[in-house]
Amino acid sequence: KSGIAQQHVEQVNAMTAVIDPQMSKALRRAAVAATRSPSVHNTQPWHFTLTGNSLNVEADLTRRLRVLDPRGRQLTLSCGCAVFNARVALAAAGFGSTVQRFPDPHDPSLLARVAVDESAEPDAALAALASSIELRQTNRRAFADNEVPAAVLERLIDAARIEGGILKQIVRPQDRHALARLSQLADRQQISDPAYRAELRAWTSADPSRQDGFHAGTVPHVDAGAEDELPIRDFDTHGAGALPIRTRSKANQCLLLLGAREDDAESWLRAGEALERVWLELTRHGYAASPFTQVIEVPQTNALLRSEMRLRMHPHLVLRIGRAPRTPESRRRRLVDVLSERSLLADFASDVL
């Protein structure tokens, strides 16, 4: 038993973190910040476990979109955004942190462990993004025609690079045309699938008490007159969308393509972290973003996009960037429903006895 106990020395040391009220408070705030992350269809497909000096970020597979996201790519991207927000919150609280991605090969649902590192200085660049977490939102309104300055775009490209992502501005007219054409094709294919439409309806609602999915007040009313070249996904499944019909999603607006060199689960998670860093950075500069993923979700159009745009990376989503009025906030699940606490002392006793 002494040998087993020796293997748990690190756990014993970590137990002392439980009695540090500042660290415990910071970790809970990190969990709150993680719940503010963007997620596919606002499914919020995560669960968090607080253990000593760390916060586990786990995939809630019951919330995976089985039609739209059969591989779990978008679920993992969403959880990557949550990981990044937790890192930002810890930095803002004055703590350094480390991240272990997929720390347990026997538990693929455990996507990351974000741990306080008391030997490391807090990352000032991360801390500077903390105030943008509450302001960040998905905006499906019409954007102003103002150009996004080159200096801002460079900051966004750097933000993605720091997290291991690749952010490419779509500039060439032929690339913009290909993106618009393939996005329209993907949107038509998805809408023609009854299972896709049923799944979409399941995650949209006019129920004011619902804490997940899309509420009618946050999406455009869909009718003639949208003037979209890049189709915004039709979340107005009940005909009650409260935002204006005219969304004017154009191929000549500022369009950024986010991707990664590999196409595996860890790359998806890191791409989610890159996405959130980009999104918080553009929010900090006063810009709004609207994501497009239809062209990437449909295998046929995904392959055509990579071919026609000569991409060496695996694309994950397109971001439309610009100025726009704010939209109503998406609803969030309660922290008590997504956060658990586990005692390291109990774990230790279970293992050594």
Side-chain angles (χ1 to χ4, degrees):
K1 285 182 178 161
S2 62
I4 295 175
Q6 184 63 34
Q7 296 173 9
H8 291 78
V9 168
E10 291 185 6
Q11 283 183 288
V12 174
N13 291 336
M15 288 177 203
T16 61
V18 177
I19 65 174
D20 181 343
Q22 291 301 112
M23 183 184 295
S24 182
K25 183 177 181 180
L27 285 165
R28 286 185 176 84
R29 285 183 173 176
V32 172
T35 67
R36 304 295 300 174
S37 305
S39 61
V40 56
H41 287 17
N42 195 32
T43 50
Q44 304 169 57
W46 42 61
H47 186 270
F48 309 104
T49 302
L50 181 60
T51 305
N53 72 335
S54 64
L55 183 72
N56 287 351
V57 180
E58 302 143 5
D60 183 345
L61 299 178
T62 66
R63 292 176 166 269
R64 179 165 63 85
L65 301 173
R66 300 190 180 280
V67 178
L68 181 73
D69 188 30
R71 299 173 66 197
R73 182 184 63 85
Q74 291 216 54
L75 178 149
T76 309
L77 282 167
S78 303
C79 290
C81 293
V83 170
F84 186 78
N85 275 3
R87 291 167 52 198
V88 168
L90 287 174
F95 290 98
S97 64
T98 59
V99 181
Q100 290 179 283
R101 297 169 183 86
F102 295 93
D104 185 350
H106 302 294
D107 184 5
S109 67
L110 176 54
L111 302 183
R113 177 172 293 129
V114 184
V116 170
D117 184 354
E118 294 184 275
S119 67
E121 291 294 320
D123 187 326
L126 289 182
L129 297 172
S131 62
S132 297
I133 291 177
E134 291 293 327
L135 296 175
R136 184 217 60 81
Q137 59 177 198
T138 299
N139 196 312
R140 298 178 181 83
R141 293 183 184 270
F143 285 8
D145 293 329
N146 313 64
E147 290 189 5
V148 179
V152 173
L153 292 173
E154 285 299 322
R155 292 291 296 270
L156 302 183
I157 291 169
D158 284 345
R161 178 185 52 77
I162 291 169
E163 299 301 325
I166 304 170
L167 192 66
K168 169 187 173 66
Q169 185 181 9
I170 303 173
V171 177
R172 297 190 342 149
Q174 54 268 51
D175 289 343
R176 290 173 175 270
H177 177 73
L179 176 63
R181 173 172 47 82
L182 294 173
S183 295
Q184 293 167 14
L185 174 61
D187 194 62
R188 289 195 299 270
Q189 288 192 16
Q190 289 183 323
I191 288 295
S192 67
D193 180 356
Y196 168 86
R197 296 198 304 271
E199 187 174 70
L200 197 61
R201 284 194 299 272
W203 287 99
T204 55
S205 172
D207 180 359
S209 65
R210 183 164 176 176
Q211 297 174 328
D212 58 9
F214 284 105
H215 189 268
T218 67
V219 301
H221 180 61
V222 175
D223 205 339
E227 299 181 19
D228 287 345
E229 293 173 354
L230 285 176
I232 292 177
R233 199 188 302 273
D234 179 7
F235 287 106
D236 189 23
T237 58
H238 302 282
L243 296 187
I245 295 172
R246 190 167 178 261
T247 48
R248 294 181 61 249
S249 171
K250 299 292 187 180
N252 63 357
Q253 294 173 328
C254 181
L255 301 173
L256 304 176
L257 182 64
L258 177 70
R261 298 198 183 280
E262 304 298 331
D263 188 31
D264 55 28
E266 183 167 345
S267 297
W268 301 342
L269 188 68
R270 288 183 179 272
E273 294 176 72
L275 169 61
E276 186 67 347
R277 186 163 196 148
V278 168
W279 213 325
L280 295 183
E281 189 68 48
L282 68 88
T283 299
R284 188 159 73 107
H285 284 83
Y287 287 91
S290 179
F292 298 86
T293 53
Q294 299 99 309
V295 67
I296 294 159
E297 293 155 357
V298 175
Q300 174 194 359
T301 54
N302 187 321
L304 288 171
L305 184 72
R306 295 189 69 199
S307 174
E308 295 190 27
M309 290 185 60
R310 307 159 307 286
L311 297 175
R312 295 182 179 180
M313 65 175 176
H314 295 274
H316 288 309
L317 81 164
V318 177
L319 280 177
R320 178 174 64 115
I321 310 295
R323 304 276 193 188
R326 289 186 62 78
T327 65
E329 291 189 9
S330 297
R331 300 185 181 274
R332 301 289 168 179
R333 299 163 69 195
R334 299 179 305 165
L335 186 64
V336 67
D337 295 327
V338 297
L339 177 65
S340 302
E341 295 192 42
R342 190 172 70 234
S343 166
L344 278 177
L345 183 60
D347 287 352
F348 176 76
S350 175
D351 286 340
V352 299
L353 293 179

